[in-house]
């Protein structure tokens, strides 16, 4: 059971990798970005780039030399760093299959035990469900704490939860430390490895949890978590996340409510790393008690990962005993002065948990799991290579996980090889570009290692960097205004061709039609403003095709005026 994240932006470790041309409003604290004055920026945009990077690639199996300049100078874009790929996979289960003579024999011997455990599990779940229905019967005022007599009935369900853990092979659970009193630490946070932790915390603490709205419709489970006065949240809705934060504040401030339990990683991991934290537990500003969970093992990794629930349950049922350790850490107090933000609070908590677990905290997030699952769904040979540490990208470029998945879909349509790399000719095919100097410059802008191929991480960093430029949206609007020659809010093929041929003079009719079809998202034979802007949001690299017309119209000067007005 993966509990959803609460708010954005995602927490990621500090990085010295900063955009090269940004407008920054400085505060009293450290600021690593720098400002450019309008006059300096104008001269930068209008100046020709003297530095050229040479690399080799192939188009139609012929080796060509790609002369790479920056085709996005007119937006104020400079060079951007792309972190080296990480080999860490926080979701990989170490024992996805039954392997080895010992495990095979043990599984066979435990099959009768597994059958008994399954029956016992079903009986406990049924009894707990009935007790919960009785406790909830006739209760309408769910915005206030559950009455004590109803909470006493829920002890039946809590004992059933402990028997369910017993049926899964957790006959005893090692504990270290004790839960802090609720009045001292009204919020608890924990790492999330398996569906076992929520069951344990339900028995041990009976907290209020934060969960996805989809959990409400789950058979049996939905009824039980409603008794915990669950706070529902949609991780992709900013309004839902804001409401969840407000509800956490309200319940944490009232001693009559139980503790609030959050899994700040936002999903399950393999327990070998700690992922970046969402900030939902830290924005309210209450003391937080971290709890860490370990699952020591030799033959059977109990982490959820991408293992199906049925398979994981079967493996648990066929073990003699499953080990689990729970450690209650000292309470982490909120910042005592306003200069420290919830980010600092989350960092201190994460450091305490990572140190106790003896692991590192990475910049991975739930978005990386979405990318991993998408790559696996599209049958990529190495799906884990498409993870990009989304927390860092969201922090740097304000790009959402859903947008990243859309870009992954486009990247995979470029037919990456077994290493997850895309060559020039496949890149040009998907973007409907012909092989020319400008197209090679666009590819060279992404190919930061200058080896003739790009990875998904390079592709995503490149498109996100272009989209983040302060002049990007203004450029899109001005380009459509240039295309709308007749002033009817539509662009026809001939009008688009005239502007495209300023960038690529020898563009033939078929190539124009391919680009026109790409921009005509609703396929009605003409490009509306919405079509045009939607296409550039999905294919931001194509804005380079319109740079000659924009520079002809003194776009950098107009852009400087716009930025000055915004600031």
């Amino acid at each position: 059971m993966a509990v959803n994240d609460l708010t954005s932006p995602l927490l990621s470790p500090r990085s010295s990798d900063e955009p090269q041309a940004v407008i920054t409003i400085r505060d009293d604290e450290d600021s690593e970005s720098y400002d450019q004055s309008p006059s300096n920026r104008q001269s930068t945009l209008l100046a020709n780039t003297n530095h050229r990077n040479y690399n080799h690639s192939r188009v139609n199996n012929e080796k060509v030399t790609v002369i790479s300049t920056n085709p996005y100078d007119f937006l104020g874009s400079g060079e951007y760093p792309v972190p080296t790929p990480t080999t860490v996979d926080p979701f990989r289960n170490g024992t996805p299959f039954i392997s080895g003579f010992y495990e095979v024999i043990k599984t066979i011997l435990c099959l009768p035990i597994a059958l008994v455990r399954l029956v016992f599990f079903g009986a406990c779940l049924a009894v707990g469900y009935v007790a919960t229905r009785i406790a909830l019967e006739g209760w309408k005022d769910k915005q206030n704490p559950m009455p004590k007599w109803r909470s006493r009935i829920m002890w039946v369900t809590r004992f059933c939860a402990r028997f369910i853990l017993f049926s899964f092979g957790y006959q005893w659970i090692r504990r270290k430390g004790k839960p802090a009193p609720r009045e001292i630490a009204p919020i608890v946070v924990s790492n999330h490895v398996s569906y076992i932790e929520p069951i344990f915390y339900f028995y041990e603490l009976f907290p209020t949890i934060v969960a996805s709205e989809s959990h409400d419709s789950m058979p049996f489970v939905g009824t039980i978590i409603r008794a915990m006065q669950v706070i529902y949240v949609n991780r992709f809705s900013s309004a839902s996340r804001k409401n969840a934060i407000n509800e956490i504040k309200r319940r944490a401030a009232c001693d009559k409510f139980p503790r609030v339990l959050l899994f700040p990683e936002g999903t399950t991991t393999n327990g070998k790393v700690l992922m970046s934290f969402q900030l939902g537990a830290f924005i309210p500003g209450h003391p937080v008690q971290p709890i860490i969970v370990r699952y020591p093992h030799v033959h059977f990794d109990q982490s959820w990962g991408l293992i199906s629930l049925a398979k994981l349950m079967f493996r648990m049922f066929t073990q003699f005993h499953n080990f689990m350790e729970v450690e209650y850490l000292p309470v982490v107090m909120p910042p005592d002065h306003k200069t420290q933000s919830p980010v600092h609070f989350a960092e201190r908590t994460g450091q305490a948990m990572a140190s106790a677990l003896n692991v590192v905290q990475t910049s991975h997030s739930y978005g990386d799991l979405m990318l991993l699952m998408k790559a696996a769904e599209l049958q990529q040979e190495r799906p884990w290579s498409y993870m990009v540490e989304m927390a860092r990208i969201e922090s740097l470029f304000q790009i959402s996980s859903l947008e990243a998945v859309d870009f992954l879909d486009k990247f995979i349509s470029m037919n990456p090889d077994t290493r997850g790399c895309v060559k020039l000719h496949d890149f040009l095919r998907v973007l409907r570009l012909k092989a020319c100097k400008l197209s090679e410059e666009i590819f060279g802008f992404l190919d930061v290692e200058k080896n003739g191929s790009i990875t998904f991480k390079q592709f995503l960093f490149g498109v996100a960097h272009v989209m983040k430029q302060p002049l990007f949206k203004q450029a899109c609007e001005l380009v459509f205004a240039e295309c709308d020659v007749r002033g009817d809010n539509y662009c026809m093929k001939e009008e688009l061709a005239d502007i495209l041929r300023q960038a690529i003079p020898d563009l033939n009719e078929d190539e124009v039609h391919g680009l026109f079809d790409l921009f005509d998202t609703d396929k009605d034979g003409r490009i509306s403003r919405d079509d045009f802007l939607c296409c550039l949001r999905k294919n931001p690299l194509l804005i380079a095709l319109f740079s000659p017309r924009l520079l002809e119209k003194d776009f950098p000067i107009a852009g400087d005026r716009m930025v000055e007005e915004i600031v």
Side-chain angles (χ1 to χ4, degrees):
M1 181 188 300
V3 180
N4 283 10
D5 56 287
L6 296 174
T7 188
S8 61
L10 296 166
L11 172 66
S12 60
R14 291 182 179 269
S15 171
S16 60
D17 303 332
E18 297 291 337
Q20 299 299 309
V22 298
I23 294 180
T24 304
I25 299 176
R26 298 180 182 273
D27 54 23
D28 293 335
E29 294 190 297
D30 60 299
S31 177
E32 298 174 4
S33 303
Y34 62 87
D35 295 310
Q36 282 187 328
S37 67
S39 59
N40 290 340
R41 187 166 58 253
Q42 179 180 338
S43 62
T44 301
L45 299 182
L46 294 176
N48 291 325
T49 305
N50 294 322
H51 176 70
R52 291 175 178 265
N53 298 309
Y54 294 85
N55 66 295
H56 298 285
S57 185
R58 290 180 179 271
V59 179
N60 298 328
N61 295 323
E62 295 183 5
K63 189 174 182 180
V64 297
T65 299
V66 178
I67 302 175
S68 177
T69 61
N70 184 355
Y72 302 100
D73 272 342
F74 71 101
L75 294 176
S77 167
E79 294 182 357
Y80 60 96
V82 179
T84 56
T86 177
T87 58
V88 175
D89 181 355
F91 309 109
R92 181 180 297 176
N93 184 291
T95 58
F97 307 106
I98 300 174
S99 59
F101 179 76
Y102 172 77
E103 273 297 292
V104 172
I105 295 300
K106 181 175 65 175
T107 301
I108 294 173
L109 291 176
C110 286
L111 284 176
I113 300 174
L115 183 60
V116 174
R117 286 176 170 176
L118 179 61
V119 173
F120 186 54
F121 163 76
C124 292
L125 185 61
V127 172
Y129 174 75
V130 171
T132 303
R133 289 298 299 267
I134 294 173
L136 293 177
E137 185 65 29
W139 185 33
K140 303 297 183 183
D141 186 16
K142 294 185 173 61
Q143 293 301 310
N144 289 316
M146 177 180 279
K148 290 185 178 180
W149 70 268
R150 295 183 185 273
S151 297
R152 292 190 184 101
I153 296 176
M154 287 303 300
W155 269 106
V156 176
T157 310
R158 293 174 67 177
F159 281 122
C160 287
R162 182 61 187 93
F163 289 133
I164 286 173
L165 292 174
F166 187 90
S167 70
F168 281 126
Y170 299 94
Q171 291 89 356
W172 62 88
I173 297 172
R174 182 185 174 189
R175 295 172 178 81
K176 183 178 180 181
K178 293 182 179 180
R182 194 261 180 229
E183 56 271 17
I184 293 178
I187 297 176
V188 294
V189 296
S190 171
N191 61 320
H192 200 6
V193 179
S194 180
Y195 61 87
I196 294 298
E197 301 104 51
I199 301 174
F200 171 80
Y201 290 133
F202 175 78
Y203 162 71
E204 182 93 343
L205 302 175
F206 191 54
T208 290
I209 65 170
V210 182
S212 168
E213 295 170 348
S214 61
H215 290 152
D216 188 67
S217 59
M218 295 175 64
F220 299 104
V221 175
T223 300
I224 294 174
I225 63 175
R226 280 198 295 274
M228 301 170 71
Q229 295 188 267
V230 61
I231 300 172
Y232 289 117
V233 63
N234 179 353
R235 78 170 75 232
F236 303 115
S237 167
S238 58
S240 177
R241 294 195 300 267
K242 184 177 180 180
N243 290 336
I245 293 296
N246 291 333
E247 192 62 18
I248 292 171
K249 288 181 180 178
R250 185 178 75 89
R251 300 194 188 186
C254 177
D255 288 339
K256 293 183 179 180
F257 277 105
R259 297 174 178 87
V260 181
L261 166 68
L262 298 97
F263 298 100
E265 293 170 290
T267 188
T268 55
T269 70
N270 57 16
K272 297 178 181 178
V273 298
L274 201 64
M275 295 201 309
S276 60
F277 279 4
Q278 307 298 319
L279 302 181
F282 310 100
I283 291 176
H286 292 279
V288 170
Q289 181 173 32
I291 309 173
I292 58 172
V293 179
R294 306 182 188 88
Y295 295 91
H297 67 276
V298 176
H299 303 284
F300 169 49
D301 184 354
Q302 300 154 60
S303 65
W304 200 337
L306 296 181
I307 307 298
S308 70
L309 178 60
K311 183 176 181 179
L312 192 60
M313 289 177 64
F314 174 78
R315 293 294 305 276
M316 288 183 175
F317 283 147
T318 53
Q319 304 296 313
F320 294 122
H321 175 73
N322 290 309
F323 292 91
M324 179 180 182
E325 298 176 355
V326 179
E327 182 176 354
Y328 295 92
L329 301 180
V331 174
V332 180
M333 303 305 292
D336 51 6
H337 50 87
K338 293 183 179 179
T339 57
Q340 288 191 352
S341 67
V343 174
H344 296 100
F345 191 12
E347 284 178 348
R348 290 191 290 117
T349 306
Q351 289 167 1
M353 295 175 67
S355 177
L357 286 166
N358 195 28
V359 299
V360 298
Q361 188 169 20
T362 71
S363 296
H364 291 90
S365 72
Y366 180 78
D368 289 285
L369 179 60
M370 294 172 63
L371 294 172
L372 175 64
M373 295 177 69
K374 184 67 174 181
E377 175 189 333
L378 296 176
Q379 300 180 340
Q380 295 304 293
E381 189 168 330
R382 301 169 67 244
W384 57 87
S385 66
Y386 293 92
M387 292 188 291
V388 295
E389 295 188 280
M390 269 303 300
R392 174 181 294 180
I393 291 181
E394 289 196 14
S395 175
L396 288 175
F397 302 114
Q398 289 75 54
I399 182 173
S400 71
S401 298
L402 292 176
E403 290 176 303
V405 171
D406 289 339
F407 284 125
L408 176 60
D409 205 17
K410 181 170 291 292
F411 182 83
I412 290 179
S413 70
M414 297 176 185
N415 192 29
D417 59 23
T418 55
R419 298 177 297 117
C421 297
V422 165
K423 300 292 186 182
L424 176 61
H425 64 279
D426 286 316
F427 174 81
L428 300 182
R429 171 181 54 80
V430 171
L431 291 185
R432 317 282 178 90
L433 297 174
K434 71 176 299 177
C436 65
K437 180 181 178 182
L438 177 59
S439 300
E440 292 166 357
E441 288 176 352
I442 293 173
F443 185 80
F445 176 77
L446 303 175
D447 182 14
V448 293
E449 295 181 357
K450 309 306 173 190
N451 59 10
S453 64
I454 58 173
T455 64
F456 174 65
K457 192 169 191 175
Q458 293 169 345
F459 177 75
L460 185 61
F461 263 77
V463 296
H465 178 73
V466 171
M467 292 176 69
K468 189 186 178 184
Q469 298 310 307
L471 300 180
F472 175 74
K473 291 183 180 179
Q474 178 77 351
C476 296
E477 294 282 358
L478 291 177
V479 168
F480 182 75
E482 290 296 312
C483 293
D484 182 18
V485 176
R486 296 174 300 174
D488 59 355
N489 288 323
Y490 286 100
C491 172
M492 305 306 292
K493 184 187 295 186
E494 296 77 15
E495 298 159 353
L496 181 66
D498 290 342
I499 294 182
L500 290 175
R501 286 188 173 121
Q502 287 186 261
I504 309 176
D506 57 344
L507 208 60
N508 62 40
E509 286 301 316
D510 288 339
E511 292 160 346
V512 170
H513 178 76
L515 284 167
F516 180 83
D517 188 62
L518 186 64
F519 277 92
D520 183 16
T521 56
D522 59 5
K523 309 305 177 188
D524 63 351
R526 57 184 183 174
I527 302 172
S528 67
R529 177 180 176 276
D530 289 342
D531 289 341
F532 194 83
L533 298 181
C534 177
C535 179
L536 286 178
R537 281 196 300 269
K538 293 180 178 179
N539 305 278
L541 298 175
L542 295 182
I543 193 65
L545 298 177
F546 305 99
S547 58
R549 174 61 67 92
L550 290 170
L551 292 173
E552 181 183 275
K553 297 292 181 179
D554 289 332
F555 168 67
I557 298 175
D560 282 338
R561 292 197 190 107
M562 178 199 68
V563 173
E564 286 178 324
E565 290 175 2
I566 292 175
V567 174

